[in-house]
Amino acid sequence: MSSLANTDPEIAALIEKERLRQTNGLELIASENVVSKAVLETAGSILTNKYAEGYPGKRYYGGCEYYDIIENLAKDRLCKLFGAEYANVQPHSGSGANMAVYFSTINYGDKIMSMKLSEGGHLSHGSPVSFSGKMYDVVQYGVDHETEVIDYAALADMARKEKPQMIVCGASAYPREIDFKAFGEIAEDVGSSCVADIAHIAGLVATGLHNSPIDVLPFTTTTTHKTLRGPRGGAIMCREEFGQAINKAVFPGLQGGPLMHIIAAKAVCFKEALSQSYKDYCKQVVNNAQTLAATLDSEGYRLVSGGTDNHLMLLDLSDKGLTGLQAENALHDAGITVNKNTIPRETLSPFVTSGLRIGTPAVTSRGMKEEEMKAIGHFIATVLNDIENKEKIAEVRTEVEALASKFAIYAVTE
């Protein structure tokens, strides 16, 4: 960091503050993780200097011979990881990947059927504030308000009534396993296309801890920075027959030059995800989530749907007289980072919410296991049980820092 410190000490100081925040606290945001030093090094490499518009073997600039090899490696590794026929690794984000699938498959104004944002969906699945909600006619399904899980029979009835051109499945705040085969059968029944957004659960899908949409749906999108533990970015997998249409939708349809330093970092991430150690990591992510959920349940906190099958859980704080915003702020003061989140039957605004979303990927990357999850669950309950007690929150922060100090983000020897 010496060059940055000399050139821009203000930015260097802010990066150092953020390093200390991550190191001394506990990141429990379900969409965040800790990349390896190899991914970090690749993302900050000399590859950022080059324009490489186009695709391998068909670039608009000279000097791309090594970039062609890198991009092909990323595509091949991603296909191997998921068993996919075709991949595009150029999307800058998961939202961009979703947009490319829509653009390649349906027309402006066509009908999309997707999950409500307030009950677990994502902005890019049809929210009125997103491009997806502005460009398409959107109808949305939710969860059953008794079980708080997807009712596939009700979903099938909606699809037959609405006859959408595209069904979107996948979520950003749904703690249970999604039945992609059921979605495929519903889409086939009504003559709809279907895309699975596995941004959150990609690592679990890749390692067999969650069923896969690859063989049952024509399109799958993902981010690479959540459970996949790679750089911030997106990717698309599809059947071979749709490959060229996806390519055209990404470039020149939506994006210009690809971020080749990030694509190289994606390739590193995919190689890491093919290892046994990564499979073990993903198993621990799920075990940790279930242990943390059980601990919070034992502390008297209601879990949406009663628990979790994946890497995240949703807490319903409404019976505690707390809002998600209050809880997020108090836990932040204790060195625990979570995010407020809407829950089924939400009555408050998305800026306040009745719930919290909590995930285990980042703390698991640091090496924490079940015993640490029990301690973290106790920390959370201690803060939320006496949310106005600044002295108690400060005590928890000291305990949080002591726990975090035992699990370095980047060991000195790495």
Side-chain angles (χ1 to χ4, degrees):
M1 295 290 287
S2 59
S3 296
L4 178 59
N6 290 331
T7 302
D8 195 332
E10 185 177 11
I11 291 295
L14 288 168
I15 291 175
E16 176 60 12
K17 286 181 179 180
E18 173 59 12
R19 186 191 69 80
L20 291 172
R21 186 194 70 81
Q22 290 185 29
T23 300
N24 297 329
L26 300 173
E27 294 292 328
L28 294 175
I29 291 179
S31 52
E32 294 183 0
N33 213 328
V34 179
V35 302
S36 69
K37 275 197 167 182
V39 168
L40 202 62
E41 180 181 335
T42 308
S45 70
I46 199 170
L47 296 174
T48 196
N49 292 344
K50 189 80 183 72
Y51 249 122
E53 283 186 353
Y55 290 98
K58 196 175 181 181
R59 305 286 188 183
Y60 288 81
Y61 291 85
C64 290
E65 56 268 32
Y66 304 121
Y67 297 85
D68 286 0
I69 297 170
I70 288 168
E71 186 167 342
N72 281 330
L73 272 174
K75 291 169 60 180
D76 291 346
R77 289 173 180 177
L78 182 60
C79 287
K80 182 178 180 181
L81 181 61
F82 285 94
E85 293 180 7
Y86 195 89
N88 186 303
V89 295
Q90 290 196 9
H92 301 332
S93 69
S95 292
N98 287 337
M99 183 186 285
V101 171
Y102 304 155
F103 279 18
S104 72
T105 310
I106 59 177
N107 297 314
Y108 183 88
D110 277 354
K111 186 177 288 187
I112 290 177
M113 192 172 93
S114 60
M115 195 173 200
K116 296 175 184 175
L117 179 64
S118 62
E119 301 195 9
H122 188 261
L123 284 167
S124 64
H125 296 175
S127 169
V129 300
S130 161
F131 77 91
S132 54
K134 296 177 186 297
M135 298 182 69
Y136 302 104
D137 178 17
V138 181
V139 294
Q140 297 200 294
Y141 58 89
V143 296
D144 178 89
H145 284 182
E146 293 299 319
T147 64
E148 297 178 316
V149 298
I150 296 170
D151 181 337
Y152 293 94
L155 196 150
D157 287 343
M158 177 183 280
R160 284 190 287 268
K161 175 185 176 183
E162 298 290 347
K163 294 182 172 51
Q165 280 72 48
M166 171 69 73
I167 296 176
V168 183
C169 55
S172 64
Y174 184 68
R176 294 303 186 177
E177 187 166 17
I178 297 169
D179 188 342
F180 293 120
K181 184 178 179 182
F183 270 101
E185 290 170 350
I186 292 167
E188 184 177 4
D189 180 53
V190 299
S192 170
S193 188
C194 191
V195 56
D197 181 344
I198 61 168
H200 266 269
I201 56 171
L204 310 185
V205 171
T207 53
L209 295 168
H210 189 293
N211 72 87
S212 174
I214 296 297
D215 291 334
V216 295
L217 299 179
F219 302 99
T220 300
T221 64
T222 186
T223 55
T224 49
H225 52 271
K226 298 183 178 79
T227 50
L228 270 181
R229 205 164 57 178
R232 303 193 69 81
I236 303 167
M237 291 167 281
C238 64
R239 294 173 186 158
E240 183 81 34
E241 63 189 283
F242 302 120
Q244 290 309 306
I246 287 292
N247 284 355
K248 289 178 181 178
V250 174
F251 175 82
L254 299 173
Q255 300 179 176
L259 308 177
M260 290 307 304
H261 55 304
I262 299 301
I263 289 174
K266 290 175 187 178
V268 175
C269 150
F270 301 150
K271 182 177 181 179
E272 291 174 345
L274 285 161
S275 68
Q276 182 59 49
S277 63
Y278 179 77
K279 293 185 176 74
D280 296 339
Y281 159 74
C282 284
K283 288 179 184 176
Q284 193 63 54
V285 167
V286 175
N287 290 343
N288 282 353
Q290 293 178 346
T291 299
L292 181 52
T295 303
L296 290 167
D297 178 68
S298 71
E299 294 277 1
Y301 284 84
R302 193 185 85 80
L303 293 140
V304 171
S305 80
T308 180
D309 297 326
N310 54 35
H311 65 300
L312 66 83
M313 65 215 72
L314 290 172
L315 287 191
D316 176 2
L317 301 174
S318 57
D319 63 345
K320 300 292 186 180
L322 298 174
T323 68
L325 179 60
Q326 288 174 313
E328 178 187 308
N329 289 338
L331 289 168
H332 176 270
D333 291 342
I336 299 171
T337 308
V338 297
N339 66 276
K340 59 187 175 293
N341 213 93
T342 56
I343 59 172
R345 304 182 303 282
E346 182 62 76
T347 59
L348 302 177
S349 86
F351 297 101
V352 179
T353 80
S354 301
L356 283 183
R357 186 182 68 165
I358 300 172
T360 55
V363 289
T364 306
S365 288
R366 294 178 71 166
M368 297 184 194
K369 296 187 177 179
E370 286 87 349
E371 287 306 306
E372 288 75 35
M373 297 307 109
K374 293 174 185 177
I376 291 170
H378 177 67
F379 294 157
I380 292 171
T382 300
V383 171
L384 299 186
N385 286 344
D386 199 0
I387 202 167
E388 299 296 334
N389 190 331
K390 302 299 183 184
E391 185 176 322
K392 181 69 66 68
I393 291 173
E395 290 174 2
V396 171
R397 186 177 189 105
T398 299
E399 294 182 80
V400 164
E401 290 178 354
L403 176 61
S405 70
K406 300 175 184 178
F407 298 91
I409 292 182
Y410 297 111
V412 175
T413 55
E414 285 187 31

